[in-house]
Each structure stands twice: as structure tokens, then as C-alpha cells.
Amino acid sequence: MQTDTLTTADFITATHRLSGQVQTGNKPLSDLLNDRSQSYLLVFNLYVSRLDRPGEIGAYAPVAYLSKEKISFVIVPMREVRLPDTGRLTSQGYEVLAILPGFEIRGSFAGPPRFDLRTFSPAILEPFLAVTNATVQIVGLPEVTFHGEAILVNRAQMEGLCLGE
């Protein structure tokens, strides 16, 4: 049975903060973002802000379509993330630094017990990588930061993924 659950999230692009709601039904938002069969996301009650003034609303739209490929990352509550099952590919927690054009994202990442190209590669991950207890800093505006229980990082936008213990 599918419900009409609306989930509120902040979608960050290279230039804007887009705050709105997505109808998720009985799935977490991460499932919709990782669904490769749809390239756009339907968003309701969308508030638009520029990154240099993320708290200042510049526009509003009752309905909008967002291109998943242009989303840098999404800030969501933890309940909107489907974390991978513990197993061969996800059995240890790591501190992570994800580097994107204009952003640095720090937090925690669940990964394999050891890293080598035979057992793990960022290429095998879902399109949006879950970073928990996360903080984002805008490289060109270090005074502007975002925080979230979870941040879904667009893997296609990543320039680097740095892992530590």
C-alpha cells in the first residue's frame, strides 16, 4: 500500500539551494534519487535561494522538476536514507571527505572492511552516496555551511572521495 508521504529536503546545485517536498510514498527519498529509470524529480512547494544567501528566498514555485544529474547533494533526515545492508561491501564506518566542484562534504560513510580495486570502487556505488552526520562547506564562501543527519551526494559530481578511520 502506497501512502501520500511528503518528504521535505534541501537540494543543492552548483548555484542554488532548492527547498521543497517530494512525494515518496512508502520509500525513502534515497530510493527515488537512485532510481536510474527517471532523470527528473517532481518537487512541490519549492523555495529557491542563491548559495551566497541560502536563507533568503528569491522565488517560489508550487511545482517544479529538478534534474537529478544537476543536483550536487541533498540534505535529508536520516529516515530518508536506505543504508546498505551490512555485508561484504559495507561492514565498517569511515570518516569521509567528498570533494565536489565548489563543495567539501565531511561525515561518516559505511564501507567495506578494506579498500582495493578488486573488492571496492566508487563506481559500484548507487548514484547518490549516503554520508551521515554530515557538514558541507562552500569552498568559495567558507562562512556558509550546511549540516544534516544525512547528505546524499551525487556520485557523478564527485571529484574525489577521501576515506579515513
Side-chain angles (χ1 to χ4, degrees), residues 27-61:
K27 297 179 181 181
L29 182 57
S30 64
D31 283 2
L32 297 178
L33 288 165
N34 287 322
D35 179 356
R36 290 180 170 104
S37 69
Q38 296 184 350
S39 59
Y40 283 84
L41 198 61
L42 178 61
V43 182
F44 300 96
N45 302 315
L46 185 76
Y47 293 89
V48 179
S49 304
R50 292 184 179 156
L51 280 183
D52 61 345
R53 294 188 175 102
E56 185 179 303
I57 297 169
Y60 168 79

Short mmCIF file of all heavy atoms in Angstrom, two decimals, residues 27-61:
data_model
loop_
_atom_site.label_atom_id
_atom_site.label_comp_id
_atom_site.label_asym_id
_atom_site.label_seq_id
_atom_site.Cartn_x
_atom_site.Cartn_y
_atom_site.Cartn_z
N LYS A 27 8.66 4.71 0.29
CA LYS A 27 10.09 4.57 0.06
C LYS A 27 10.83 5.76 0.66
O LYS A 27 10.30 6.86 0.71
CB LYS A 27 10.40 4.54 -1.44
CG LYS A 27 9.82 3.39 -2.19
CD LYS A 27 10.19 3.52 -3.66
CE LYS A 27 9.60 2.39 -4.45
NZ LYS A 27 9.97 2.49 -5.87
N PRO A 28 12.10 5.57 1.03
CA PRO A 28 12.90 6.73 1.41
C PRO A 28 13.28 7.53 0.15
O PRO A 28 13.33 6.99 -0.95
CB PRO A 28 14.13 6.13 2.08
CG PRO A 28 14.22 4.74 1.55
CD PRO A 28 12.82 4.31 1.21
N LEU A 29 13.56 8.80 0.32
CA LEU A 29 13.94 9.66 -0.80
C LEU A 29 15.17 9.13 -1.53
O LEU A 29 15.29 9.27 -2.74
CB LEU A 29 14.16 11.09 -0.31
CG LEU A 29 14.52 12.13 -1.37
CD1 LEU A 29 13.47 12.20 -2.47
CD2 LEU A 29 14.70 13.49 -0.72
N SER A 30 16.08 8.51 -0.80
CA SER A 30 17.28 7.97 -1.45
C SER A 30 16.93 6.97 -2.56
O SER A 30 17.60 6.91 -3.58
CB SER A 30 18.23 7.33 -0.43
OG SER A 30 17.63 6.21 0.18
N ASP A 31 15.85 6.19 -2.38
CA ASP A 31 15.44 5.25 -3.42
C ASP A 31 15.01 5.98 -4.69
O ASP A 31 15.32 5.54 -5.80
CB ASP A 31 14.30 4.36 -2.94
CG ASP A 31 14.76 3.25 -2.00
OD1 ASP A 31 15.97 3.19 -1.68
OD2 ASP A 31 13.90 2.45 -1.58
N LEU A 32 14.29 7.09 -4.55
CA LEU A 32 13.86 7.85 -5.72
C LEU A 32 15.05 8.48 -6.43
O LEU A 32 15.12 8.50 -7.66
CB LEU A 32 12.86 8.93 -5.32
CG LEU A 32 11.54 8.45 -4.73
CD1 LEU A 32 10.67 9.64 -4.33
CD2 LEU A 32 10.80 7.55 -5.68
N LEU A 33 16.00 8.99 -5.67
CA LEU A 33 17.19 9.59 -6.28
C LEU A 33 18.04 8.53 -6.99
O LEU A 33 18.64 8.80 -8.03
CB LEU A 33 18.03 10.31 -5.23
CG LEU A 33 17.43 11.61 -4.70
CD1 LEU A 33 18.14 12.04 -3.43
CD2 LEU A 33 17.49 12.70 -5.75
N ASN A 34 18.10 7.34 -6.43
CA ASN A 34 18.93 6.27 -7.00
C ASN A 34 18.22 5.48 -8.10
O ASN A 34 18.82 4.60 -8.71
CB ASN A 34 19.41 5.33 -5.90
CG ASN A 34 20.49 5.97 -5.06
OD1 ASN A 34 21.34 6.69 -5.58
ND2 ASN A 34 20.45 5.74 -3.77
N ASP A 35 16.96 5.81 -8.37
CA ASP A 35 16.21 5.15 -9.44
C ASP A 35 16.73 5.66 -10.78
O ASP A 35 16.49 6.80 -11.16
CB ASP A 35 14.73 5.44 -9.28
CG ASP A 35 13.86 4.83 -10.36
OD1 ASP A 35 14.40 4.22 -11.31
OD2 ASP A 35 12.63 4.97 -10.26
N ARG A 36 17.44 4.81 -11.50
CA ARG A 36 18.07 5.21 -12.76
C ARG A 36 17.07 5.33 -13.91
O ARG A 36 17.41 5.82 -14.98
CB ARG A 36 19.17 4.23 -13.12
CG ARG A 36 20.36 4.33 -12.20
CD ARG A 36 21.44 3.32 -12.59
NE ARG A 36 22.68 3.57 -11.88
CZ ARG A 36 23.11 2.85 -10.86
NH1 ARG A 36 22.39 1.82 -10.42
NH2 ARG A 36 24.25 3.12 -10.27
N SER A 37 15.81 4.92 -13.70
CA SER A 37 14.83 4.97 -14.79
C SER A 37 14.21 6.37 -14.96
O SER A 37 13.55 6.62 -15.95
CB SER A 37 13.72 3.95 -14.56
OG SER A 37 12.92 4.31 -13.45
N GLN A 38 14.43 7.25 -13.99
CA GLN A 38 13.89 8.62 -14.09
C GLN A 38 15.02 9.63 -13.88
O GLN A 38 15.74 9.55 -12.89
CB GLN A 38 12.79 8.85 -13.06
CG GLN A 38 11.58 7.97 -13.31
CD GLN A 38 10.45 8.27 -12.35
OE1 GLN A 38 10.60 9.00 -11.39
NE2 GLN A 38 9.30 7.71 -12.62
N SER A 39 15.12 10.59 -14.79
CA SER A 39 16.20 11.56 -14.69
C SER A 39 15.77 12.85 -13.99
O SER A 39 16.61 13.68 -13.68
CB SER A 39 16.76 11.89 -16.07
OG SER A 39 15.74 12.40 -16.90
N TYR A 40 14.47 13.00 -13.75
CA TYR A 40 13.97 14.20 -13.06
C TYR A 40 13.22 13.80 -11.81
O TYR A 40 12.72 12.68 -11.68
CB TYR A 40 13.03 14.99 -13.98
CG TYR A 40 13.78 15.79 -15.00
CD1 TYR A 40 14.20 15.21 -16.19
CD2 TYR A 40 14.09 17.13 -14.77
CE1 TYR A 40 14.91 15.94 -17.13
CE2 TYR A 40 14.80 17.87 -15.70
CZ TYR A 40 15.20 17.26 -16.87
OH TYR A 40 15.91 17.98 -17.79
N LEU A 41 13.14 14.75 -10.88
CA LEU A 41 12.43 14.56 -9.64
C LEU A 41 11.34 15.62 -9.57
O LEU A 41 11.62 16.81 -9.80
CB LEU A 41 13.42 14.73 -8.48
CG LEU A 41 13.07 14.21 -7.12
CD1 LEU A 41 12.86 12.70 -7.15
CD2 LEU A 41 14.19 14.53 -6.15
N LEU A 42 10.11 15.22 -9.27
CA LEU A 42 9.00 16.14 -9.13
C LEU A 42 9.00 16.67 -7.70
O LEU A 42 8.96 15.88 -6.74
CB LEU A 42 7.68 15.42 -9.43
CG LEU A 42 6.39 16.24 -9.29
CD1 LEU A 42 6.37 17.43 -10.24
CD2 LEU A 42 5.19 15.34 -9.52
N VAL A 43 9.06 18.01 -7.55
CA VAL A 43 9.14 18.64 -6.24
C VAL A 43 7.99 19.62 -6.08
O VAL A 43 7.67 20.36 -7.02
CB VAL A 43 10.50 19.36 -6.06
CG1 VAL A 43 10.61 19.98 -4.68
CG2 VAL A 43 11.66 18.40 -6.30
N PHE A 44 7.39 19.63 -4.90
CA PHE A 44 6.28 20.53 -4.58
C PHE A 44 6.74 21.60 -3.59
O PHE A 44 7.66 21.39 -2.82
CB PHE A 44 5.11 19.74 -3.97
CG PHE A 44 4.58 18.68 -4.88
CD1 PHE A 44 5.01 17.36 -4.76
CD2 PHE A 44 3.67 18.99 -5.88
CE1 PHE A 44 4.53 16.37 -5.61
CE2 PHE A 44 3.19 18.01 -6.73
CZ PHE A 44 3.62 16.70 -6.60
N ASN A 45 6.05 22.74 -3.62
CA ASN A 45 6.32 23.84 -2.67
C ASN A 45 7.80 24.16 -2.62
O ASN A 45 8.42 24.14 -1.57
CB ASN A 45 5.79 23.50 -1.28
CG ASN A 45 4.31 23.22 -1.31
OD1 ASN A 45 3.54 23.96 -1.93
ND2 ASN A 45 3.89 22.14 -0.67
N LEU A 46 8.36 24.49 -3.76
CA LEU A 46 9.80 24.72 -3.88
C LEU A 46 10.16 26.18 -3.61
O LEU A 46 9.62 27.09 -4.23
CB LEU A 46 10.27 24.34 -5.29
CG LEU A 46 11.77 24.41 -5.50
CD1 LEU A 46 12.45 23.21 -4.84
CD2 LEU A 46 12.10 24.45 -6.97
N TYR A 47 11.07 26.37 -2.68
CA TYR A 47 11.61 27.69 -2.36
C TYR A 47 13.03 27.75 -2.89
O TYR A 47 13.83 26.83 -2.65
CB TYR A 47 11.59 27.94 -0.85
CG TYR A 47 10.19 28.03 -0.31
CD1 TYR A 47 9.50 26.90 0.12
CD2 TYR A 47 9.54 29.27 -0.24
CE1 TYR A 47 8.21 26.99 0.61
CE2 TYR A 47 8.25 29.36 0.24
CZ TYR A 47 7.59 28.22 0.66
OH TYR A 47 6.31 28.31 1.14
N VAL A 48 13.36 28.81 -3.61
CA VAL A 48 14.66 28.94 -4.27
C VAL A 48 15.47 30.03 -3.60
O VAL A 48 14.98 31.15 -3.39
CB VAL A 48 14.48 29.27 -5.77
CG1 VAL A 48 15.83 29.42 -6.46
CG2 VAL A 48 13.62 28.21 -6.46
N SER A 49 16.72 29.71 -3.26
CA SER A 49 17.67 30.68 -2.70
C SER A 49 18.99 30.54 -3.43
O SER A 49 19.34 29.47 -3.89
CB SER A 49 17.91 30.40 -1.21
OG SER A 49 16.73 30.39 -0.49
N ARG A 50 19.73 31.64 -3.49
CA ARG A 50 21.09 31.58 -4.04
C ARG A 50 22.03 31.10 -2.95
O ARG A 50 21.81 31.37 -1.77
CB ARG A 50 21.51 32.95 -4.55
CG ARG A 50 20.72 33.37 -5.76
CD ARG A 50 21.20 34.68 -6.31
NE ARG A 50 20.41 35.03 -7.48
CZ ARG A 50 20.26 36.25 -7.91
NH1 ARG A 50 20.84 37.27 -7.29
NH2 ARG A 50 19.53 36.49 -8.99
N LEU A 51 23.09 30.41 -3.35
CA LEU A 51 24.01 29.85 -2.35
C LEU A 51 24.70 30.91 -1.50
O LEU A 51 25.00 30.66 -0.35
CB LEU A 51 25.06 28.98 -3.02
CG LEU A 51 24.61 27.57 -3.38
CD1 LEU A 51 25.78 26.79 -3.95
CD2 LEU A 51 24.02 26.85 -2.20
N ASP A 52 24.96 32.08 -2.07
CA ASP A 52 25.62 33.11 -1.27
C ASP A 52 24.68 33.73 -0.24
O ASP A 52 25.12 34.40 0.68
CB ASP A 52 26.26 34.19 -2.15
CG ASP A 52 25.26 34.93 -3.01
OD1 ASP A 52 24.11 34.47 -3.17
OD2 ASP A 52 25.64 36.00 -3.54
N ARG A 53 23.37 33.47 -0.37
CA ARG A 53 22.36 33.91 0.60
C ARG A 53 21.33 32.79 0.78
O ARG A 53 20.17 32.93 0.39
CB ARG A 53 21.67 35.17 0.10
CG ARG A 53 22.58 36.37 0.03
CD ARG A 53 21.76 37.62 -0.27
NE ARG A 53 22.62 38.78 -0.22
CZ ARG A 53 23.10 39.38 -1.29
NH1 ARG A 53 22.81 38.94 -2.50
NH2 ARG A 53 23.86 40.44 -1.17
N PRO A 54 21.74 31.66 1.36
CA PRO A 54 20.88 30.48 1.40
C PRO A 54 19.60 30.65 2.23
O PRO A 54 18.64 29.92 2.03
CB PRO A 54 21.77 29.39 1.98
CG PRO A 54 22.84 30.11 2.70
CD PRO A 54 23.04 31.41 1.99
N GLY A 55 19.55 31.63 3.11
CA GLY A 55 18.37 31.86 3.93
C GLY A 55 17.41 32.87 3.33
O GLY A 55 16.33 33.11 3.88
N GLU A 56 17.76 33.47 2.22
CA GLU A 56 16.94 34.50 1.58
C GLU A 56 16.19 33.90 0.39
O GLU A 56 16.80 33.48 -0.59
CB GLU A 56 17.86 35.63 1.11
CG GLU A 56 17.17 36.82 0.53
CD GLU A 56 18.17 37.88 0.11
OE1 GLU A 56 18.97 38.31 0.98
OE2 GLU A 56 18.18 38.27 -1.08
N ILE A 57 14.86 33.86 0.49
CA ILE A 57 14.05 33.26 -0.56
C ILE A 57 13.94 34.22 -1.74
O ILE A 57 13.49 35.34 -1.60
CB ILE A 57 12.65 32.89 -0.04
CG1 ILE A 57 12.80 31.84 1.06
CG2 ILE A 57 11.76 32.38 -1.16
CD1 ILE A 57 11.55 31.56 1.84
N GLY A 58 14.37 33.73 -2.92
CA GLY A 58 14.33 34.54 -4.12
C GLY A 58 13.17 34.21 -5.04
O GLY A 58 12.79 35.02 -5.88
N ALA A 59 12.61 33.01 -4.87
CA ALA A 59 11.50 32.59 -5.72
C ALA A 59 10.76 31.43 -5.05
O ALA A 59 11.31 30.74 -4.19
CB ALA A 59 11.99 32.17 -7.10
N TYR A 60 9.52 31.24 -5.50
CA TYR A 60 8.68 30.13 -5.02
C TYR A 60 7.96 29.53 -6.22
O TYR A 60 7.53 30.24 -7.12
CB TYR A 60 7.66 30.61 -3.99
CG TYR A 60 6.61 29.58 -3.69
CD1 TYR A 60 6.87 28.52 -2.84
CD2 TYR A 60 5.36 29.63 -4.30
CE1 TYR A 60 5.92 27.54 -2.58
CE2 TYR A 60 4.39 28.66 -4.05
CZ TYR A 60 4.68 27.62 -3.19
OH TYR A 60 3.74 26.65 -2.95
N ALA A 61 7.82 28.20 -6.20
CA ALA A 61 7.04 27.51 -7.23
C ALA A 61 6.24 26.40 -6.57
O ALA A 61 6.80 25.63 -5.78
CB ALA A 61 7.95 26.93 -8.31
#
